[in-house]
Amino acid sequence: MDLPDYSFTPQRFEVRPGIAMSYLDEGPRDGEVVVMVHGNPSWSYYWRHLVLGLRDRYRCIVPDHVGMGLSDKPDDGGGVRPPAGPGSARYDYTLRSRIDDLGALLRHAGIDDATPVTLVVHDWGGMIGFGWALSHAAQVKRLVVTNTAAFPLPTGKPMPWQLSLGRDSRIGGWAIRRFNLFARGAAWLGTQRRLPAPVREAYAGVYDGWDKAIATLRFMQDIPLRAGDRAWPLVDEAGRRLHEFADRPAFIGWGLRDFVFDRHFLAGFRDALPRAQVMAFDDAGHYVMEDRHEALVPAIRAFLDANPA
């Protein structure tokens, strides 16, 4: 597959028995650690411009979540097709699993509890990153937040029908896996700038096929809306404790044309992190790093340089 601007050599490790995670570890080993956490339906490809802009000085660690990007895409036994052979690895596609995987990756990379970390998040990567940060708050020295959430759906923000299609509809879920609707739709509609065809294919092609699109659907089905949903306790706790991170440097880069993570979510972060430096773009959508990377990469670099960890 052609991956424009993805001039990296991904590494792999066994994050769980029989399941390999792909990740980037770019930059000097003794550089300040910057952990970039993607969401759904993207992968580490979303962060490529930022990695290229930081890796001369900063150590950039960027996972592909299990089932995403270049990582293994195991079954969970819950699909329409019969499960694979008896020896096949299974994976529980939940927020808790994602947080545990991120912790396992950082331990594998030699990032111990005393290592300062800059947390950079997007989309559902916000809940994964902040979910990990709940038990590692002392390590998190800086925050970079782009079109994401770390709290429940804000009051006054309806659940977008495009997400409900996968979360609540069996037919919609089947279509997402059968036709790779979510990843392909996001590659077309997630930006205001029309992406070149090879870039759209880099985002979506890794999920073509029933077996490869499983995580894009399971992410949607794990969205918690109320108490009783499996991910609710973590999301609720993160929302209640987000203000605890207000005392450290934070940068918010936001595309205001995002129909999911819109002004309601931006307001939530502004309230919790009132000292944050904010760059909001009227001409950028959900994939804000695609629409405005020319402005965001140097701004984030300047923010990191001015606030050493």
Side-chain angles (χ1 to χ4, degrees):
M1 182 181 293
D2 182 20
L3 300 174
D5 301 317
Y6 196 78
S7 55
F8 315 115
T9 302
Q11 302 185 43
R12 292 171 70 82
F13 87 109
E14 191 175 56
V15 66
R16 293 169 185 264
I19 298 174
M21 171 182 276
S22 179
Y23 67 99
L24 303 179
D25 190 344
E26 296 283 325
R29 296 285 296 185
D30 60 350
E32 295 180 9
V33 175
V34 179
V35 180
M36 305 179 193
V37 191
H38 73 83
N40 182 39
S42 62
W43 54 290
S44 58
Y45 189 73
Y46 173 78
W47 297 116
R48 67 195 185 283
H49 295 297
L50 188 57
V51 174
L52 290 171
L54 297 182
R55 67 177 179 176
D56 64 312
R57 174 177 175 182
Y58 296 92
R59 184 182 178 188
C60 302
I61 299 177
V62 194
D64 287 348
H65 304 306
V66 172
M68 311 294 284
L70 304 181
S71 290
D72 286 354
K73 299 175 174 64
D75 191 16
D76 61 357
V80 174
R81 292 186 178 182
S88 299
R90 298 287 183 82
Y91 184 78
D92 191 17
Y93 286 93
T94 65
L95 177 58
R96 180 74 265 170
S97 297
R98 304 303 191 180
I99 294 169
D100 292 345
D101 292 347
L102 179 59
L105 169 62
L106 295 180
R107 290 190 298 273
H108 172 77
I111 309 302
D112 61 28
D113 291 346
T115 305
V117 165
T118 298
L119 189 61
V120 185
V121 295
H122 177 249
D123 190 87
W124 205 230
M127 264 316 314
I128 298 168
F130 279 100
W132 173 84
L134 291 176
S135 56
H136 295 82
Q139 277 183 262
V140 179
K141 303 300 184 182
R142 297 174 294 204
L143 299 169
V144 177
V145 176
T146 71
N147 288 72
T148 187
F151 40 79
L153 191 70
T155 302
K157 168 65 180 178
M159 178 70 167
W161 68 265
Q162 295 92 334
L163 299 184
S164 293
L165 181 70
R167 183 185 187 275
D168 304 314
S169 167
R170 290 177 62 87
I171 295 175
W174 175 86
I176 285 168
R177 289 191 67 175
R178 174 64 178 81
F179 300 108
N180 193 17
L181 290 182
F182 194 46
R184 293 213 166 272
W188 277 101
L189 304 176
T191 59
Q192 294 300 298
R193 169 189 293 179
R194 183 171 179 175
L195 298 179
V199 174
R200 292 198 307 271
E201 187 61 24
Y203 270 109
V206 291
Y207 301 119
D208 276 344
W210 178 270
D211 296 332
K212 293 182 179 180
I214 182 172
T216 67
L217 176 59
R218 295 294 186 256
F219 254 115
M220 300 167 78
Q221 292 172 331
D222 195 42
I223 296 171
L225 298 179
R226 59 190 65 87
D229 291 338
R230 287 215 287 176
W232 179 263
L234 281 166
V235 174
D236 184 54
E237 182 183 1
R240 287 186 284 104
R241 293 181 54 191
L242 184 59
H243 70 279
E244 297 176 11
F245 295 90
D247 62 345
R248 60 214 69 191
F251 179 97
I252 299 174
W254 211 271
L256 295 173
R257 301 292 292 276
D258 188 338
F259 70 88
V260 178
F261 298 103
D262 58 10
R263 296 173 187 269
H264 293 85
F265 287 92
L266 175 57
F269 279 104
R270 283 182 180 271
D271 289 344
L273 308 173
R275 296 166 52 190
Q277 176 183 339
V278 179
M279 291 184 70
F281 302 95
D282 287 314
D283 57 350
H286 179 62
Y287 287 158
V288 64
M289 291 298 299
E290 293 294 341
D291 277 327
R292 296 306 305 267
H293 63 84
E294 296 93 343
L296 279 170
V297 171
I300 294 170
R301 174 63 182 255
F303 164 76
L304 297 179
D305 290 347
N307 297 280

